[in-house]
Amino acid sequence: MLSVLDPGPARAFADALLAPLRAEGLDESVRAYVQANGQGETAARALGVHRHTLRTRMRKAAELLGRDPDDPAVRAELWVAFAVAASTGDRIRHVGDSRSGPPEIA
């Protein structure tokens, strides 16, 4: 799916969606949450934080985004944004197994 996106608009979408998270240092937490498909315990373990810490971060992220990360459609948008942000060059592609979650943020 990512390979059919026009890189210019896709990167603009990703930058706009992820900018407030990056500004507050929440992008790694949200990425882990998206990668864990909304499973807070799994994401907290991956980050090495307590589940309540992640829950607080996700509430803040929801405020910043104006969207609920518990909504699967919102997680899909975030997944695409993280994948686009991780791509380099003029072609958007997903690095690795697409079933494994969004690529790591560099």
Side-chain angles (χ1 to χ4, degrees):
M1 176 188 106
L2 295 173
S3 64
V4 300
L5 295 177
D6 183 348
R11 289 191 200 292
F13 165 77
D15 289 343
L17 184 59
L18 300 177
L21 300 176
R22 290 176 177 149
E24 294 293 322
L26 293 171
D27 50 326
E28 283 294 321
S29 294
V30 174
R31 184 203 50 77
Y33 190 76
V34 168
Q35 188 171 3
N37 198 27
Q39 299 297 312
E41 291 278 336
T42 302
R45 266 194 309 276
L47 292 166
V49 300
H50 193 275
R51 68 183 184 276
H52 295 297
T53 300
L54 180 65
R55 198 173 302 153
T56 299
R57 291 176 184 175
M58 293 309 298
R59 274 195 301 267
K60 177 67 174 175
E63 290 173 20
L64 292 170
L65 293 169
R67 301 173 182 182
D68 183 3
D70 287 329
D71 180 338
V74 172
R75 285 197 310 275
E77 286 181 338
L78 289 164
W79 186 92
V80 169
F82 283 122
V84 168
S87 293
T88 59
D90 62 351
R91 184 169 168 264
I92 298 170
R93 60 180 168 57
H94 178 65
V95 179
D97 180 1
S98 64
R99 286 171 263 140
S100 66
E104 297 294 322
I105 296 174

